[in-house]
Amino acid sequence: MTMNEKEVLDALKKYREMDLKYEDGRILGSMCTKPHPISKKISEMFFETNLGDPGLFKGTKKLEDEVIQMMGNFLNNNNPFGYIISGGTEANITAMRTIKNISRKKGNKTTTVIIPETAHFSFEKAREMMDLQYIKPPLTDYYTMDVKYIKDYIEDNKNNKIDAIVGIAGCTELGTIDNIKAISKLAEENDIYLHVDAAFGGFVIPFLEDKYKLNNYNYEFDFSLNAVSSITIDPHKMGLAPIPAGGILFRDISFKKYLDVEAPYLTDIHQATLIGTRTGIGVASTWGVMKLLGEEGYKNIVSECMDKTYYLIKKAKEYGFKPVIDPVLNIVALEDENPSETCLKLREIGWYVSICKCVGALRIIVMPHIEKEHIDEFIGALASVRKS
Amino acid sequence: MTMNEKEVLDALKKYREMDLKYEDGRILGSMCTKPHPISKKISEMFFETNLGDPGLFKGTKKLEDEVIQMMGNFLNNNNPFGYIISGGTEANITAMRTIKNISRKKGNKTTTVIIPETAHFSFEKAREMMDLQYIKPPLTDYYTMDVKYIKDYIEDNKNNKIDAIVGIAGCTELGTIDNIKAISKLAEENDIYLHVDAAFGGFVIPFLEDKYKLNNYNYEFDFSLNAVSSITIDPHKMGLAPIPAGGILFRDISFKKYLDVEAPYLTDIHQATLIGTRTGIGVASTWGVMKLLGEEGYKNIVSECMDKTYYLIKKAKEYGFKPVIDPVLNIVALEDENPSETCLKLREIGWYVSICKCVGALRIIVMPHIEKEHIDEFIGALASVRKS
């Protein structure tokens, strides 16, 4: 049975009402947020574009080249190569594809990657598909990879070549930043590829005021470090672009050859992205939001989020809730004896936090849509759940 | 330097003007088209949704379940399992992931897949990442996989287990349909997984009037054939949904376990899709366009495209241009001595066709945005290019 246009839109509206809305402040466990308002107008303008066939959409392709350059600029790379893709998962898989293909070209039979315990589960998808071998160093007291362990591991395994190291700049669970500066030095000395997953931190760390920086972390993570060959950085997280807008940047175009697949039917004869057909909405929106906000705009957004993060911690402490670590970025982990249960109880009363796997804790991401009133209400709700 | 909102939108408009527009009729080599007008309104409504975290967007998730059921219905499956994802590439990679994981569970060291020469290049991405072994049977005179060869190959390789066969229903280059009925019989007898790539044909073949069906092809391709375990079918091609709206459907939910990855931070504890964060725009638009058009609406669209396809062939023949085969679907291949050169010359004067790799030919897809006037003009342009 068909419906007319009004019936379709009315029906869809009802489904949409069952969704949570960012502005209600109940989404406390997501790394996505309400996109910047300008992106709705931009999306309408670029609604029909397809960067899977860039020769047809030359203007949109030009925007992608420019936006990669703009992101390269604030990542200290004047000559980057990359794409705006579906998200961090595709970006991380793309980096792993590159690493595997470099390793294979060298004649290695297995691809070995040193990667933190705290890595996002997209790396597990990559491992399973590509049969990668992961080495997971222990974590320090600050929940970062133990660099001394990596050093020793490399020395002890001279015959068992390490193909790559993955470092995280803004880890999903705790927001921690691996000591990528020290790792880069090791990687450079031993000719090892270094990929940085800054899916979340990429639009935070470059705009973070010094006053928020902790002593126990090194905040350097970008192409200014010699061994960094690729970075995952998602505009649709803290960049305020709409989904889909993930980002993968390489140091330069020399990495493209490891990704190219022959694409006989398209306007380009090779395709390097994992996904084929892809909308230009993410590209144009990222371009637009970046031009509109500029460095100052992102700095303000990051400072506001950090301010609210400290507010959340202060409130939590008032109720006797203990954060696992001081906040590195706008992510808070609160110790909890049974985080899964607490999480479910909170959901029952309409609050959506998530949990940390690496420590028993509730995980809250203080995205731009979270206001101080929401934090007050949430802490009250958490107190009531803990008492029950 | 930042810009204000008006400056951003004005600047973006200029980039957008460099793109081709579907309505100008110059895009003759794309399997995408102008989405149905209602999808713009729907996209606005679902702009902020993220099905990567379905517990937050329960209404949108419900729409996805319903739309998979609706697509299952016209693919003769009342109990399908699947997702609306980024496109045919992700769908085909997802099917290959399933096949590899089933094979691995059986203890096989390599995964062997029989796949046509004419398969889309997304299968090459899957092969490269997952180290699959592809067997490519010769093509018949009708550009379909030689079923006799497959039968003999299976018999001759009893010790070398075949894990899967891929059949194509609407091949990218020529629109041909493999004899999936006969292949399904073979697959069933030998306990082999059968995946069907109907990325293009899935929204054409079920709505194709009998008068357009040729004698040398079998048009059956869906779950009514016993061995078919998964189907790639893209709403953002002939389904008139906007990008990103690809589709992967499995026979039932028993296949989910081969795809699940632990997702500790999300509202669901497992994630089966390859991509994580994903907009609900494709889901809601597919739901809306399907409800609005219904079977009758899609039948009309397909009939109009087939009518224009025959018109193109008639016009082409008047100029002495020879089609490689009679049209199976709304795709035309015109013989050409040097298709790459002709293609480039056509681009220079603003016409964008593509080429066939398997035969020396130009490839034209008669999508809904192509009108008869465009065909007249194009044939004239092709004649002028051939004379030059």
Side-chain angles (χ1 to χ4, degrees), chain A residues 5 19 41 60 104 131, chain B residues 5 19 41 60 104 131:
Chain A
E5 180 172 322
D19 291 345
K41 287 177 193 162
T60 307
R104 183 147 35 189
D131 293 318
Chain B
E5 179 171 324
D19 292 344
K41 287 176 194 164
T60 307
R104 182 149 32 187
D131 293 317

